[in-house]
PDB file of all heavy atoms in Angstrom:
ATOM      1  N   SER A 331     -81.547  30.678  37.645  1.00 83.00           N
ATOM      2  CA  SER A 331     -82.319  30.261  36.481  1.00 83.00           C
ATOM      3  C   SER A 331     -82.182  28.745  36.324  1.00 83.00           C
ATOM      4  O   SER A 331     -81.152  28.154  36.639  1.00 83.00           O
ATOM      5  CB  SER A 331     -81.827  30.979  35.223  1.00 83.00           C
ATOM      6  OG  SER A 331     -80.468  30.733  35.030  1.00 83.00           O
ATOM      7  N   ILE A 332     -83.309  28.161  35.871  1.00 87.00           N
ATOM      8  CA  ILE A 332     -83.355  26.710  35.727  1.00 87.00           C
ATOM      9  C   ILE A 332     -83.686  26.379  34.294  1.00 87.00           C
ATOM     10  O   ILE A 332     -84.659  26.894  33.741  1.00 87.00           O
ATOM     11  CB  ILE A 332     -84.425  26.107  36.662  1.00 87.00           C
ATOM     12  CG1 ILE A 332     -84.030  26.355  38.117  1.00 87.00           C
ATOM     13  CG2 ILE A 332     -84.614  24.630  36.387  1.00 87.00           C
ATOM     14  CD1 ILE A 332     -85.130  26.054  39.100  1.00 87.00           C
ATOM     15  N   ALA A 333     -82.879  25.558  33.700  1.00 86.00           N
ATOM     16  CA  ALA A 333     -83.166  25.120  32.339  1.00 86.00           C
ATOM     17  C   ALA A 333     -84.107  23.938  32.432  1.00 86.00           C
ATOM     18  O   ALA A 333     -83.929  23.051  33.265  1.00 86.00           O
ATOM     19  CB  ALA A 333     -81.885  24.725  31.636  1.00 86.00           C
ATOM     20  N   THR A 334     -85.127  23.950  31.584  1.00 85.00           N
ATOM     21  CA  THR A 334     -86.057  22.831  31.617  1.00 85.00           C
ATOM     22  C   THR A 334     -86.407  22.407  30.205  1.00 85.00           C
ATOM     23  O   THR A 334     -86.479  23.235  29.304  1.00 85.00           O
ATOM     24  CB  THR A 334     -87.342  23.202  32.390  1.00 85.00           C
ATOM     25  OG1 THR A 334     -88.265  22.136  32.258  1.00 85.00           O
ATOM     26  CG2 THR A 334     -87.962  24.466  31.836  1.00 85.00           C
ATOM     27  N   PHE A 335     -86.537  21.126  30.016  1.00 81.00           N
ATOM     28  CA  PHE A 335     -87.039  20.649  28.734  1.00 81.00           C
ATOM     29  C   PHE A 335     -87.765  19.342  28.949  1.00 81.00           C
ATOM     30  O   PHE A 335     -87.572  18.652  29.952  1.00 81.00           O
ATOM     31  CB  PHE A 335     -85.923  20.525  27.690  1.00 81.00           C
ATOM     32  CG  PHE A 335     -84.808  19.611  28.077  1.00 81.00           C
ATOM     33  CD1 PHE A 335     -84.846  18.264  27.763  1.00 81.00           C
ATOM     34  CD2 PHE A 335     -83.703  20.111  28.751  1.00 81.00           C
ATOM     35  CE1 PHE A 335     -83.805  17.429  28.106  1.00 81.00           C
ATOM     36  CE2 PHE A 335     -82.655  19.275  29.103  1.00 81.00           C
ATOM     37  CZ  PHE A 335     -82.715  17.931  28.779  1.00 81.00           C
ATOM     38  N   ASP A 336     -88.621  19.066  27.962  1.00 77.00           N
ATOM     39  CA  ASP A 336     -89.424  17.856  28.034  1.00 77.00           C
ATOM     40  C   ASP A 336     -88.785  16.856  27.089  1.00 77.00           C
ATOM     41  O   ASP A 336     -88.513  17.191  25.938  1.00 77.00           O
ATOM     42  CB  ASP A 336     -90.856  18.186  27.586  1.00 77.00           C
ATOM     43  CG  ASP A 336     -91.828  17.157  28.107  1.00 77.00           C
ATOM     44  OD1 ASP A 336     -91.406  15.993  28.211  1.00 77.00           O
ATOM     45  OD2 ASP A 336     -92.969  17.534  28.405  1.00 77.00           O
ATOM     46  N   THR A 337     -88.543  15.663  27.574  1.00 71.00           N
ATOM     47  CA  THR A 337     -87.966  14.680  26.669  1.00 71.00           C
ATOM     48  C   THR A 337     -89.005  14.215  25.653  1.00 71.00           C
ATOM     49  O   THR A 337     -88.727  13.385  24.807  1.00 71.00           O
ATOM     50  CB  THR A 337     -87.415  13.464  27.430  1.00 71.00           C
ATOM     51  OG1 THR A 337     -88.405  13.026  28.342  1.00 71.00           O
ATOM     52  CG2 THR A 337     -86.169  13.828  28.183  1.00 71.00           C
ATOM     53  N   GLY A 338     -90.222  14.749  25.759  1.00 60.00           N
ATOM     54  CA  GLY A 338     -91.207  14.541  24.704  1.00 60.00           C
ATOM     55  C   GLY A 338     -91.961  13.248  24.843  1.00 60.00           C
ATOM     56  O   GLY A 338     -93.179  13.242  25.001  1.00 60.00           O
ATOM     57  N   SER A 339     -91.273  12.156  24.843  1.00 50.00           N
ATOM     58  CA  SER A 339     -91.937  10.867  24.830  1.00 50.00           C
ATOM     59  C   SER A 339     -92.581  10.542  26.166  1.00 50.00           C
ATOM     60  O   SER A 339     -93.330   9.589  26.260  1.00 50.00           O
ATOM     61  CB  SER A 339     -90.935   9.786  24.440  1.00 50.00           C
ATOM     62  OG  SER A 339     -89.642  10.177  24.826  1.00 50.00           O
TER      63      SER A 339
END
Side-chain angles (χ1 to χ4, degrees):
Chain A
S331 57
I332 296 169
T334 173
F335 58 90
D336 201 327
T337 49
S339 28

